Amino acid sequence: MLNRRQILAAMGTTALASLAPSALFAAAAIKPDDSSALLVIDVQNCFLPGGSLAVKEGEQVVPVINKMAKAFSNVVMTQDWHTPGHVSFASVHSGKKPFETIDLPYGKQVLWPDHCVQGTDGASLSKDLSIPQAELIIRKGFHKDVDSYSAFLEADGKTTTGLAAYLKSRKIKRVFVAGLATDFCVAWTALDARKAGFEVYVVEDACRGIDTQGSLAKAWADMAKAGVKRIQSADIAVSA
Ligand code: VGL
Ligand code: ZN
């Protein structure tokens, strides 16, 4: 990597005069403070290689998240935490296969392979996560008849997990979202965080998506429309 002096030397004075330093060194410009929290979404064995709902390249988010987490004094993790026979499992709907959809009282539901069943190894957080200061683990999706992609609200759109009240009582104003999967639990969490009044950043390279039936492109479009900021982990300053 070039350092600042080398870049300046290579540019020469003419080009340099036309560029504000802020344009040159925009990277790592975001410094999480005490009113910022990192939300680490569903980095669980079921979503990692070998898991029942493995997200492509899911394991690659782990080192990125571990590094980024050093910049945060507030970290909350989530765990998808389903009952056996959960309504989101294709296996409980006769004639249905994973990734098909059904209509439930609260809306359209994508059906999944059985995953993240309470107390199973698949539901455990990855053993490679290294975030000792994480202060809260929110479990979600534990009502048998309602899914919950979002860390804030269940899929009925009204049952709260308590996370917004927790963050507000801790005076958190900005949340940074990372983890799995970009187009489901990350996106729904980011959208609900906006609705709850937080400033929201999704760290793209610290997430991976499932991408079924155009879900990934739709998720990014919905997030952009809602004012979610799309950043990279290199945009966050981590002091050595
Ligand atoms: C998730 C599908 C089903 C996720 C959870 O963590 O994104 N996706 N349950
Ligand atoms: Zn789930």
Side-chain angles (χ1 to χ4, degrees):
M1 280 258 280
L2 291 172
N3 64 27
R4 180 182 179 120
R5 189 184 51 74
Q6 287 166 324
I7 295 170
L8 298 188
M11 289 181 70
T13 46
T14 328
L16 189 59
S18 63
L19 261 182
S22 61
L24 256 178
F25 301 106
I30 303 169
K31 289 198 186 7
D33 58 13
D34 285 346
S35 67
S36 307
L38 174 63
L39 308 183
V40 178
I41 305 299
D42 297 3
V43 183
Q44 294 167 266
N45 295 333
C46 274
F47 299 122
L48 294 168
S52 60
L53 181 42
V55 179
K56 190 164 173 253
E57 299 179 352
E59 78 287 359
Q60 293 184 20
V61 306
V62 175
V64 180
I65 290 172
N66 285 344
K67 180 168 179 212
M68 183 172 63
K70 294 186 201 299
F72 289 85
S73 54
N74 298 298
V75 181
V76 173
M77 310 210 255
T78 67
Q79 258 180 319
D80 213 34
W81 198 249
H82 299 310
T83 59
H86 190 259
V87 71
S88 73
F89 297 170
S91 60
V92 304
H93 302 276
S94 60
K96 290 289 183 181
K97 291 202 265 316
F99 306 100
E100 294 180 356
T101 58
I102 52 162
D103 291 311
L104 290 179
Y106 57 78
K108 213 174 246 343
Q109 173 71 50
V110 181
L111 297 173
W112 305 107
D114 289 21
H115 65 281
C116 296
V117 173
Q118 297 167 4
T120 62
D121 183 59
S124 295
L125 294 170
S126 166
K127 63 169 177 28
D128 297 323
L129 279 174
S130 177
I131 316 177
Q133 79 275 27
E135 55 208 28
L136 176 70
I137 298 173
I138 283 273
R139 289 171 168 171
K140 60 184 179 62
F142 49 76
H143 289 128
K144 193 172 188 179
D145 296 323
V146 189
D147 206 358
S148 187
Y149 297 142
S150 163
F152 291 92
L153 280 184
E154 298 190 11
D156 62 3
K158 52 180 193 249
T159 307
T160 176
T161 64
L163 182 57
Y166 169 84
L167 294 172
K168 284 178 185 176
S169 70
R170 302 273 336 281
K171 308 238 180 318
I172 301 296
K173 307 240 174 315
R174 305 198 284 179
V175 299
F176 294 73
V177 192
L180 305 170
T182 319
D183 37 349
F184 290 92
C185 293
V186 168
W188 287 52
T189 296
L191 292 168
D192 281 348
R194 287 294 298 147
K195 286 188 199 135
F198 297 98
E199 193 182 329
V200 182
Y201 299 80
V202 169
V203 189
E204 185 172 14
D205 60 322
C207 302
R208 288 295 185 280
I210 293 173
D211 203 11
T212 172
Q213 298 162 39
S215 55
L216 191 56
K218 181 178 187 310
W220 282 119
D222 291 347
M223 289 192 281
K225 201 166 148 205
V228 172
K229 295 175 180 132
R230 179 175 182 169
I231 63 169
Q232 307 300 317
S233 60
D235 298 332
I236 298 173
V238 182
S239 42

